[in-house]
Amino acid sequence: MTAATLPLTGRARVVIERVRPEINGGRFPVKRTVGEEVVVEADIFADGHDQLRCLLRHRQAGMERWDEIAMAPLGNDRWRASFHVSSPGRHEYTVIGWVDRFLTWRHDVARRQDPADIIAALQVGAELVTAAANRADGSAAAELKSWAAQLGSTAAPDTRQAMAQSESLATLMAMHSERLFVAENERVLDVTVDIERARFSAWYELFPRSCRVGNESHGSFAGVIERLPDIAAMGFDVLYLPPIHPIGRGFRKGPNNTLSAGPDDPGSPWAIGAAEGGHRDIHPELGSAASFRELVGQARKLGMDVAMDIAFQCSPDHPYVKQHPEWFRHRPDGSIQYAENPPKKYQDIYPFDFESDDWQGLWNELRAVVDHWIGEGVRIFRVDNPHTKPFPFWEWLIGGVKAEHPEVIFLAEAFTRPKIMHRLAKLGFTQSYTYFTWRNTAQELTDYFTELALHDSREYFRPNLWPNTPDILPEFLQYSGRPGFLLRVALAATLGASYGIYGPAYELMEHEPLKPGGEEYLNSEKFQLRNWECDRPDSLRHYIARLNRVRRENPALQSDWNLSFHAIDNPLMLCYSKTAGDDTLVMVANLDPHHVQAGWVDLPLAQLGLPEDKPYQAHDLLSGAHFLWQGGRNFVSLDPQASPLHILRLRRRLRSEHDFDYFL
Amino acid sequence: MTAATLPLTGRARVVIERVRPEINGGRFPVKRTVGEEVVVEADIFADGHDQLRCLLRHRQAGMERWDEIAMAPLGNDRWRASFHVSSPGRHEYTVIGWVDRFLTWRHDVARRQDPADIIAALQVGAELVTAAANRADGSAAAELKSWAAQLGSTAAPDTRQAMAQSESLATLMAMHSERLFVAENERVLDVTVDIERARFSAWYELFPRSCRVGNESHGSFAGVIERLPDIAAMGFDVLYLPPIHPIGRGFRKGPNNTLSAGPDDPGSPWAIGAAEGGHRDIHPELGSAASFRELVGQARKLGMDVAMDIAFQCSPDHPYVKQHPEWFRHRPDGSIQYAENPPKKYQDIYPFDFESDDWQGLWNELRAVVDHWIGEGVRIFRVDNPHTKPFPFWEWLIGGVKAEHPEVIFLAEAFTRPKIMHRLAKLGFTQSYTYFTWRNTAQELTDYFTELALHDSREYFRPNLWPNTPDILPEFLQYSGRPGFLLRVALAATLGASYGIYGPAYELMEHEPLKPGGEEYLNSEKFQLRNWECDRPDSLRHYIARLNRVRRENPALQSDWNLSFHAIDNPLMLCYSKTAGDDTLVMVANLDPHHVQAGWVDLPLAQLGLPEDKPYQAHDLLSGAHFLWQGGRNFVSLDPQASPLHILRLRRRLRSEHDFDYFL
């Protein structure tokens, strides 16, 4: 019989379990933006009846010293504390705890009744305080010595027993606590702290090649620069450009995704690479590296970031194909395998083979591409189809980039299965496209946004809502007319702190599909240049500008976690609220683009901080209308042609004659 | 700028997440008994559209080789497989997965339409199969070669395309799959496999000192041996004895927990240790080591284990106090600190100081105590107040004991806060006392047993239900008379696969409390000897014997996980079922000990495997009554004086005239 080895920490009696937040047992970081709070809870307990001291520790990664915050018990052995993160980058947190002899003594001495026991206990206390005094310096040491002397004095035991409960003594002792047999959470946990734009952003996607200057036949960065003031006036803060690289000629697609392109057809910008260069180069007709930097700089002056598309795939003409044939998969006849999902074929696209023997060379090159564009002033990347490249690659790439550039934002364009989308978000993508694009009914929206706003996944999955993209003209927008376009952008802008539209197709209500039942645009800009009449009188740009202004003026719309749904007795309507401090907004939507809908909402007034017994004001920030409401139940009617959404700011305090002095 | 280090496994494209079962991320084992199944599920997925092969691996700890079982997809990227455990001890399991090139090819080739593509794909397939043939031996190699030749032949492409889907080929390829870039779950997970008695057991607690032979003044093991046939006849399989060690004389407690004992008062058996010895010794009046071994042997012949009480604490007279004063805490005056929870004092008990500088010596000695009794034939230990000793100590002790003696069972007597009870169960206790003792109403019982039977905690927390203990005469039993005693033991025996009673106090319906409002027994055996009239005509022993016989004859009552509650329209009644294979039992209880109660039950017939349209038989295994029921809704009336519980065995098939041949 051999005795099992004793653990080294056999006297660490405290157990720390179920620390939250925690993703996959600490395998992945949670996410915050600068200024946000991390509320940490844990189950912490020990054997017996001794009293514990539990601390939340946090620090910026790389720092030696921990900041410590005392955790407070919530009951049922759950403890809580929180900290704020103030700078972008990786932060760390963990929880420690120990059986605190002073707190245990303090708790017990108060419950003693036998004078002899009290005297004996005071002696023990005096020794504990003396020991703390010996650990302390300066005035703390002197104060503690004085406390020890008083506890051990010959004063009446009940006086000294009361003294033991002094809060000043407890504070001093906490600062000089003897940390005996400390237990620590099994894993130090991480927080990725992003810039505020990672949490709150309005994106505008546009094809530069459709932005012509004067009578030019092909758009350019100069044309985009001309459009910047309009985009800024609409209130967007991220301008996202589809790939701006040279476009392949081999198997180039023609208009409407046809297989043969004419000599003047521009091809899909996602077919990257040609004789003119690859992922670090610019399509000559769009401009030069200098004009791109000019665009980035002009946008920044207007408060906007230019987001770059990262599409890690090649046209058959990409320089990589000749320079690094080992980065691609080969067919039995020696040709390179193009992308396919049988029976579909994409002969104009060569995917990288991430199982290549030179996978390390490939990874390093792709990282260098990202670094190149960061060097050109880009700090936001929208990543095309990340779910068709290996997860470890993205974790390595994003982790490496953000270690050096914590301000960089990666948006995952992964319209795929839920667990894959979640894994990408966990491993580092800052924001994620969502299923919002296909959620239309009240039940669908309520279920999905309850998940996004309230479930544990919110710790890592930051939604970015898109009512349309160049690839997706959802069926709803094909048939719902102007009310449908008003509705979907208003829902996106108020359900999500981050959202985006593909314009000018959106504000000009482009709605013809390539084929009935499909979601592709007719005459899609993916395959041809378009001439958008941006100042068409029916453009939604003013409505969108108002939405974005309301978003900027109301902190309630700048966060995703503060969403609540409320009852409304019409299933074609949706009622939800967002609150931040004093800013309480109630949104009511008519989801039916064809008819006026009306219903009674039921608001939880106490939760919203509103009086049950007094009227309050509901001010529609979109229409400017004012309503005087009282109680939780109120009537709402919405004409989708005018505006399918109320954004009602509730004002808690209304003056009335009761407020005058003579009523008091 | 320095490139971040590339991961070694950058080409392992498969992700494995959320493996279940898994306790604290794999920190603790799940529990099973011999013959039970471990159903393992995991989220498994990769980038792109490639096909995966996922295997569940399991083995007995210490073995080199894994057994492997193919996992099946459940949809939404969840996979499942299961294995059975066949021997006590530690087992291990994990999950692996990889992108399988053959499966991917097989999936794609079926969807190809272009003949040239099909021919090219068949060439790729022939190469994959040839490579597998080169990995295989003997007939498998020959068969694979033949497949490769056929795929690569000049036969019609569509014939060969169909051939690719052959199940025989798939089976052969699975056996000789190329495991490229395999991903493995981050942690190998553990199962503690216990003997069957850990899952299904009926315990009987009795004070040997009250088991007198003839006119002896003090009971003994010989007296217990005389009682064994009766206890076996009642159907119990574990006979649990409170501590059998010498009892201290210092501060010995008198009858009814009084502070001064007379010279003949026996004291509490939990005040362990005297001049006659300590934890390895036997109280001389009970018998010798030989007579204890005789008791253990006689019990085993009747199919019973003798369970020993492990109470790690000392009376002031324990030899440890002199030999190892460093194992105890000292007061300022040099005396040893007795147990207290101010203002309560327990001067007859010295707790060990697990923060002692010689904690390692203490741990090793306590482990030696357990080993000693295992050497004496004990394999079940009921551990007194484990929640007042450090968690790491128990994990080490139980882990060490079970590594050498996997058949040993530890029952945790931790009537304490829920998270502490759960931690003890996680770290190794085989069974746990529960809150059943205080759960009386239909809502309380439904909530608590739904948690025990269905929540994740069932993977480690095995309940053992006690309607009474020497410390606890619950208020319900004080006022509910004979019906209350019938009810509580019947609930325990049917709600839990393991349960126990403290007898003969239970079957003789001892119900006087020491003080009104308290839960202590008047004239408790903890402090005095009792003369039990075991064959009193009103004893419940025959009722209990019947309960235990029904338990043994019905597999449905031998497991905790198979419990379902069903609707009944009387809130003073409770309806639940347990099913194991063909054995379907429906229990209906009258929770009101004072009145007849009746109600309509609503049974989910499909779930219970019963016909909706034909009558079925409900046979009360306690009363012997037969009822003919039809449909889900049936009437039940229970007189608590007769029997407050039905145990209805439902028989799916009843013969009727329709079954005769001439009706066909």
mmCIF file of all heavy atoms in Angstrom, chain B residues 558-573:
data_model
loop_
_atom_site.group_PDB
_atom_site.id
_atom_site.type_symbol
_atom_site.label_atom_id
_atom_site.label_comp_id
_atom_site.label_asym_id
_atom_site.label_seq_id
_atom_site.Cartn_x
_atom_site.Cartn_y
_atom_site.Cartn_z
ATOM 1 N N GLN B 558 -34.451 1.058 -8.932
ATOM 2 C CA GLN B 558 -33.034 0.886 -8.604
ATOM 3 C C GLN B 558 -32.146 1.962 -9.239
ATOM 4 O O GLN B 558 -30.934 1.830 -9.283
ATOM 5 C CB GLN B 558 -32.587 -0.519 -9.022
ATOM 6 C CG GLN B 558 -33.359 -1.587 -8.242
ATOM 7 C CD GLN B 558 -33.142 -3.004 -8.738
ATOM 8 O OE1 GLN B 558 -32.237 -3.241 -9.527
ATOM 9 N NE2 GLN B 558 -33.970 -3.938 -8.285
ATOM 10 N N SER B 559 -32.799 2.993 -9.717
ATOM 11 C CA SER B 559 -32.044 4.072 -10.364
ATOM 12 C C SER B 559 -32.720 5.405 -10.047
ATOM 13 O O SER B 559 -33.913 5.467 -9.777
ATOM 14 C CB SER B 559 -32.021 3.802 -11.875
ATOM 15 O OG SER B 559 -31.739 4.979 -12.579
ATOM 16 N N ASP B 560 -31.938 6.485 -10.058
ATOM 17 C CA ASP B 560 -32.492 7.810 -9.723
ATOM 18 C C ASP B 560 -32.860 8.642 -10.942
ATOM 19 O O ASP B 560 -33.613 9.602 -10.833
ATOM 20 C CB ASP B 560 -31.464 8.610 -8.897
ATOM 21 C CG ASP B 560 -31.387 8.122 -7.469
ATOM 22 O OD1 ASP B 560 -32.452 7.869 -6.876
ATOM 23 O OD2 ASP B 560 -30.270 7.984 -6.953
ATOM 24 N N TRP B 561 -32.298 8.309 -12.079
ATOM 25 C CA TRP B 561 -32.415 9.207 -13.230
ATOM 26 C C TRP B 561 -33.728 9.038 -13.983
ATOM 27 O O TRP B 561 -34.033 9.845 -14.869
ATOM 28 C CB TRP B 561 -31.268 8.960 -14.209
ATOM 29 C CG TRP B 561 -29.925 9.335 -13.696
ATOM 30 C CD1 TRP B 561 -29.566 9.558 -12.398
ATOM 31 C CD2 TRP B 561 -28.749 9.538 -14.471
ATOM 32 N NE1 TRP B 561 -28.242 9.878 -12.328
ATOM 33 C CE2 TRP B 561 -27.712 9.872 -13.583
ATOM 34 C CE3 TRP B 561 -28.476 9.468 -15.835
ATOM 35 C CZ2 TRP B 561 -26.407 10.143 -14.017
ATOM 36 C CZ3 TRP B 561 -27.179 9.728 -16.264
ATOM 37 C CH2 TRP B 561 -26.158 10.060 -15.357
ATOM 38 N N ASN B 562 -34.482 7.981 -13.682
ATOM 39 C CA ASN B 562 -35.645 7.623 -14.498
ATOM 40 C C ASN B 562 -36.948 8.131 -13.896
ATOM 41 O O ASN B 562 -38.001 7.554 -14.130
ATOM 42 C CB ASN B 562 -35.692 6.101 -14.666
ATOM 43 C CG ASN B 562 -35.731 5.384 -13.313
ATOM 44 O OD1 ASN B 562 -35.493 6.011 -12.288
ATOM 45 N ND2 ASN B 562 -36.033 4.110 -13.312
ATOM 46 N N LEU B 563 -36.874 9.196 -13.134
ATOM 47 C CA LEU B 563 -38.042 9.708 -12.418
ATOM 48 C C LEU B 563 -38.770 10.762 -13.241
ATOM 49 O O LEU B 563 -38.143 11.645 -13.816
ATOM 50 C CB LEU B 563 -37.565 10.323 -11.094
ATOM 51 C CG LEU B 563 -38.586 10.985 -10.192
ATOM 52 C CD1 LEU B 563 -39.556 9.945 -9.615
ATOM 53 C CD2 LEU B 563 -37.881 11.720 -9.055
ATOM 54 N N SER B 564 -40.106 10.649 -13.299
ATOM 55 C CA SER B 564 -40.934 11.703 -13.899
ATOM 56 C C SER B 564 -42.100 12.004 -12.974
ATOM 57 O O SER B 564 -42.674 11.078 -12.398
ATOM 58 C CB SER B 564 -41.540 11.231 -15.231
ATOM 59 O OG SER B 564 -40.564 11.048 -16.196
ATOM 60 N N PHE B 565 -42.437 13.255 -12.880
ATOM 61 C CA PHE B 565 -43.635 13.621 -12.110
ATOM 62 C C PHE B 565 -44.808 13.820 -13.062
ATOM 63 O O PHE B 565 -44.634 14.269 -14.191
ATOM 64 C CB PHE B 565 -43.377 14.891 -11.301
ATOM 65 C CG PHE B 565 -42.470 14.650 -10.138
ATOM 66 C CD1 PHE B 565 -41.098 14.844 -10.253
ATOM 67 C CD2 PHE B 565 -42.985 14.191 -8.937
ATOM 68 C CE1 PHE B 565 -40.251 14.590 -9.183
ATOM 69 C CE2 PHE B 565 -42.140 13.943 -7.858
ATOM 70 C CZ PHE B 565 -40.781 14.138 -7.979
ATOM 71 N N HIS B 566 -46.000 13.488 -12.584
ATOM 72 C CA HIS B 566 -47.190 13.614 -13.425
ATOM 73 C C HIS B 566 -48.258 14.418 -12.697
ATOM 74 O O HIS B 566 -48.271 14.479 -11.469
ATOM 75 C CB HIS B 566 -47.710 12.228 -13.787
ATOM 76 C CG HIS B 566 -46.657 11.360 -14.402
ATOM 77 N ND1 HIS B 566 -46.020 11.690 -15.581
ATOM 78 C CD2 HIS B 566 -46.074 10.215 -13.975
ATOM 79 C CE1 HIS B 566 -45.120 10.775 -15.863
ATOM 80 N NE2 HIS B 566 -45.121 9.860 -14.906
ATOM 81 N N ALA B 567 -49.135 14.988 -13.496
ATOM 82 C CA ALA B 567 -50.164 15.855 -12.929
ATOM 83 C C ALA B 567 -51.176 15.046 -12.121
ATOM 84 O O ALA B 567 -51.533 13.921 -12.482
ATOM 85 C CB ALA B 567 -50.876 16.593 -14.060
ATOM 86 N N ILE B 568 -51.588 15.622 -11.020
ATOM 87 C CA ILE B 568 -52.728 15.084 -10.271
ATOM 88 C C ILE B 568 -53.482 16.294 -9.741
ATOM 89 O O ILE B 568 -52.858 17.297 -9.356
ATOM 90 C CB ILE B 568 -52.278 14.108 -9.159
ATOM 91 C CG1 ILE B 568 -53.479 13.488 -8.462
ATOM 92 C CG2 ILE B 568 -51.337 14.772 -8.159
ATOM 93 C CD1 ILE B 568 -53.152 12.239 -7.672
ATOM 94 N N ASP B 569 -54.807 16.234 -9.768
ATOM 95 C CA ASP B 569 -55.571 17.459 -9.517
ATOM 96 C C ASP B 569 -55.871 17.695 -8.036
ATOM 97 O O ASP B 569 -56.783 18.444 -7.704
ATOM 98 C CB ASP B 569 -56.860 17.469 -10.364
ATOM 99 C CG ASP B 569 -57.789 16.327 -9.987
ATOM 100 O OD1 ASP B 569 -57.418 15.522 -9.102
ATOM 101 O OD2 ASP B 569 -58.875 16.233 -10.577
ATOM 102 N N ASN B 570 -55.103 17.062 -7.171
ATOM 103 C CA ASN B 570 -55.248 17.308 -5.742
ATOM 104 C C ASN B 570 -53.874 17.697 -5.199
ATOM 105 O O ASN B 570 -52.940 16.890 -5.237
ATOM 106 C CB ASN B 570 -55.760 16.026 -5.057
ATOM 107 C CG ASN B 570 -55.932 16.212 -3.562
ATOM 108 O OD1 ASN B 570 -55.271 17.052 -2.937
ATOM 109 N ND2 ASN B 570 -56.805 15.411 -2.970
ATOM 110 N N PRO B 571 -53.722 18.929 -4.706
ATOM 111 C CA PRO B 571 -52.387 19.399 -4.295
ATOM 112 C C PRO B 571 -51.840 18.671 -3.066
ATOM 113 O O PRO B 571 -50.675 18.837 -2.736
ATOM 114 C CB PRO B 571 -52.607 20.889 -4.009
ATOM 115 C CG PRO B 571 -54.061 21.035 -3.758
ATOM 116 C CD PRO B 571 -54.751 19.975 -4.569
ATOM 117 N N LEU B 572 -52.664 17.885 -2.407
ATOM 118 C CA LEU B 572 -52.163 17.099 -1.275
ATOM 119 C C LEU B 572 -51.720 15.713 -1.718
ATOM 120 O O LEU B 572 -51.418 14.857 -0.885
ATOM 121 C CB LEU B 572 -53.230 16.999 -0.180
ATOM 122 C CG LEU B 572 -53.570 18.340 0.479
ATOM 123 C CD1 LEU B 572 -54.733 18.193 1.458
ATOM 124 C CD2 LEU B 572 -52.344 18.889 1.216
ATOM 125 N N MET B 573 -51.698 15.496 -3.017
ATOM 126 C CA MET B 573 -51.254 14.200 -3.531
ATOM 127 C C MET B 573 -50.075 14.412 -4.481
ATOM 128 O O MET B 573 -49.835 15.518 -4.960
ATOM 129 C CB MET B 573 -52.400 13.484 -4.241
ATOM 130 C CG MET B 573 -53.587 13.236 -3.303
ATOM 131 S SD MET B 573 -54.962 12.368 -4.116
ATOM 132 C CE MET B 573 -54.356 10.675 -4.092
#
